[in-house]
Amino acid sequence: AMEDVSAKFVSQKISRTRWRPLAAAALQPPDLFATGSWDNEDNRISIWSAGDLGNAGLNGEYHGEPHLLCDIQHNGDVMDMQFLDQERIVVASSTGTVTMFRHHQNNQTLSADHRWAKAHYHVDQDTSSGGAACTGVVCNNPEIVTVGEDGRINLFRADQKDAVRTIDNADSSTLHAVTFLRTTEILTVNSIGQLKIWDLRQQRNEPSQIFSLAGDRVPLHCVDRHPNQQHIVATGGQDGMLSIWDIRQGTMPVSLLNAHEAEMWEVHFHPSDPDHLFTCSEDGSLWHWDTSTNVSEKPSFLHQGGRSTAYLSHSTMNQSVVSAWLSNDPTKDRMEITNLIPNQTLSVNSLDVLGPCLVYGTDAEAIYVNRQLFA
C-alpha cells in the first residue's frame, strides 16, 4: 500500500502542510496544498500541485510527485497556517507577526496581502525586539483567531487593518493551539494541560469554561473538534497521549489513549468521515485511528506498519448521542490503529486530510502525499 504515497524532497524542514479547501460543490479530490517551513535560514510558504492526475495507472494509482507551483519568502519559522478561502492563506510566525498571503492562480504567484505586525509580543508592540511566537491560527472567513506564546488571543477580520478584539492576558502560560467550537466560541489549549472555551460575544476576558488533564500538567500542543458533534474534542500533547473530551460534561477527558512515544504535534478528525482520526508525532509516526464499526471485518488497507487493536478506557457517563469516540459499550470500543509510516525516524510535524487524500511534512525535509487513504 505504500506505493500510493508519493514523496518530494524539498531541502527545507516542513512545519505545516494544508490542503487548499475544495469549492463547495467539488467532487474531485483535492489538488493543491500549501506548506510552510521552519528552522531554515530562508523559510518559505509554497504552493504545490498534488501530482499528475492525468497519469493514473491501470489500477488507478497515481504517478507523479507533487510539483512546486510558486513560493515566497517568510520571515521567521512558520508556526501554523490555515487557508482562509481558496486563494488566501493565513500564516503564524515565530516573530509574532501574522501574514495573509494570496495565491494568484492566473500567473501562479504568491504575494503578501496583509501583515499584522507583532500580533504577539512580550514587552510592548513598538520595541524592535520582543516579538512572541504566534503559535496557532484558525480561520472562519472573514474571521481569523490567533494565539501565542504571550498568552494573548487576537480576533482579526480579513478586511480590517487592526485587531477586532484582543484578550491580552488570556492565559498566564503559552497558548499552543486554537480551534472554533462554533462561530462565536473558540477553544484553546495551553502548556499546563488546560483546555479553555472562550465566548467571543462576551466582553469579559475570562474563559467561559476550563477543562484540564488530571494530575500532571502535561503541555497540550494540538486540538481538533469533531466536525459533526461539536461537543467532542480531541487533544494531543507532550506525552504523546490522545485525549478525547466531551465538553458537555465534567472537566476532565472522557478517555486517554496511549499513542505516540513523544510529542503529538497535530490531531485531525477526518472532515467528512470523523470515525477516522489522524495524529502525528516527534517520534516519526503518523497514526490512523479507525473507530468505524466492524473494523475486524474491514479489508486492511495497509499491510505493514504498527497495526493493533486498542481498547478505549471507559467512562461511566450516560451518552444520549453515542459517538464511537465516547462509547461506553465495550463491544463497540474496538478501534484499529495503523502507523502509516512505519520506518520514519525524524519528526512528522504536520498532517492534513481531505477526501481520500493525506498530506504530511517532516523534519527529514520531505513532503508526502497519499491519495488513496481508504483504498
Side-chain angles (χ1 to χ4, degrees):
M2 292 305 274
E3 59 271 21
D4 298 330
V5 177
S6 52
K8 176 84 178 172
F9 290 91
V10 294
S11 67
Q12 301 202 59
K13 292 182 181 175
I14 297 297
S15 55
R16 285 295 180 259
T17 57
R18 297 288 181 252
W19 288 112
R20 180 179 74 167
L22 290 168
L27 297 172
Q28 79 274 24
D31 53 348
L32 291 191
F33 63 90
T35 61
S37 69
W38 81 287
D39 197 28
N40 309 289
E41 276 177 36
D42 173 30
N43 289 305
R44 305 194 83 74
I45 306 297
S46 309
I47 304 280
W48 305 83
S49 156
D52 188 357
L53 273 173
N55 243 348
L58 293 174
N59 306 321
E61 75 276 21
Y62 299 110
H63 304 295
E65 57 182 25
H67 63 266
L68 182 66
L69 296 174
C70 50
D71 65 354
I72 193 169
Q73 199 266 336
H74 178 264
N75 196 6
D77 290 342
V78 173
M79 303 293 289
D80 200 9
M81 181 165 77
Q82 291 276 315
F83 275 90
L84 178 74
D85 54 28
Q86 298 231 284
E87 283 163 14
R88 291 176 294 177
I89 310 163
V90 181
V91 181
S93 170
S94 57
T95 64
T97 293
V98 176
T99 311
M100 190 160 65
F101 291 95
R102 185 178 292 270
H103 174 213
H104 305 272
Q105 296 179 48
N106 50 356
N107 62 356
Q108 292 304 340
T109 56
L110 272 164
S111 64
D113 239 21
H114 186 68
R115 244 182 214 106
W116 290 282
K118 290 232 191 93
H120 294 273
Y121 54 92
H122 284 306
V123 192
D124 74 82
Q125 226 164 348
D126 303 325
T127 51
S128 58
S129 62
C134 176
T135 50
V137 57
V138 65
C139 300
N140 186 14
N141 194 1
E143 299 193 315
I144 298 161
V145 176
T146 68
V147 296
E149 229 169 53
D150 53 359
R152 230 176 229 98
I153 298 174
N154 291 306
L155 173 62
F156 298 107
R157 283 180 67 102
D159 49 7
Q160 290 183 24
K161 206 163 121 304
D162 297 314
V164 178
R165 169 107 191 261
T166 294
I167 305 178
D168 268 330
N169 298 307
D171 212 301
S172 54
S173 60
T174 295
L175 289 169
H176 281 143
V178 58
T179 190
F180 275 100
L181 198 51
R182 342 191 136 65
T183 51
T184 55
E185 279 186 314
I186 56 166
L187 271 175
T188 58
V189 295
N190 71 12
S191 59
I192 55 170
Q194 292 172 322
L195 193 156
K196 297 181 183 179
I197 298 180
W198 306 81
D199 185 337
L200 297 172
R201 291 164 305 189
Q202 298 286 336
Q203 283 315 301
R204 296 182 312 124
N205 290 344
E206 270 90 52
S208 51
Q209 276 178 282
I210 301 181
F211 302 82
S212 60
L213 292 168
D216 321 326
R217 300 187 150 209
V218 176
L220 291 173
H221 288 299
C222 53
V223 59
D224 196 25
R225 188 205 80 201
H226 191 290
N228 318 332
Q229 298 187 30
Q230 296 175 328
H231 55 278
I232 301 176
V233 173
T235 62
Q238 188 91 33
D239 57 2
M241 295 280 273
L242 173 64
S243 306
I244 306 291
W245 311 69
D246 180 347
I247 58 171
R248 298 169 307 181
Q249 13 210 338
T251 56
M252 281 162 49
V254 178
S255 49
L256 290 168
L257 303 170
N258 274 313
H260 302 278
E261 285 160 32
E263 292 90 344
M264 184 188 294
W265 293 129
E266 292 205 322
V267 56
H268 290 292
F269 285 102
H270 191 288
S272 52
D273 195 352
D275 284 348
H276 299 267
L277 177 134
F278 298 83
T279 58
C280 63
S281 167
E282 179 72 28
D283 69 9
S285 61
L286 190 161
W287 286 16
H288 173 189
W289 306 69
D290 179 359
T291 66
S292 53
T293 45
N294 301 330
V295 285
S296 50
E297 292 155 34
K298 289 176 45 168
S300 75
F301 49 84
L302 270 190
H303 303 290
Q304 74 263 54
R307 144 148 327 190
S308 65
T309 298
Y311 287 87
L312 294 184
S313 60
H314 306 307
S315 62
T316 50
M317 55 179 73
N318 286 319
Q319 244 60 54
S320 45
V321 179
V322 175
S323 153
W325 293 107
L326 299 180
S327 162
N328 51 11
D329 169 0
T331 57
K332 289 208 182 77
D333 276 357
R334 294 182 50 140
M335 86 160 91
E336 195 167 36
I337 303 167
T338 314
N339 179 7
L340 299 187
I341 32 178
N343 305 316
Q344 161 77 10
T345 50
L346 293 175
S347 179
V348 182
N349 296 321
S350 184
L351 71 95
D352 197 24
V353 57
L354 188 58
C357 300
L358 165 74
V359 60
Y360 58 96
T362 73
D363 273 352
E365 306 197 340
I367 47 181
Y368 299 84
V369 175
N370 178 343
R371 295 173 144 292
Q372 298 186 306
L373 258 186
F374 303 112

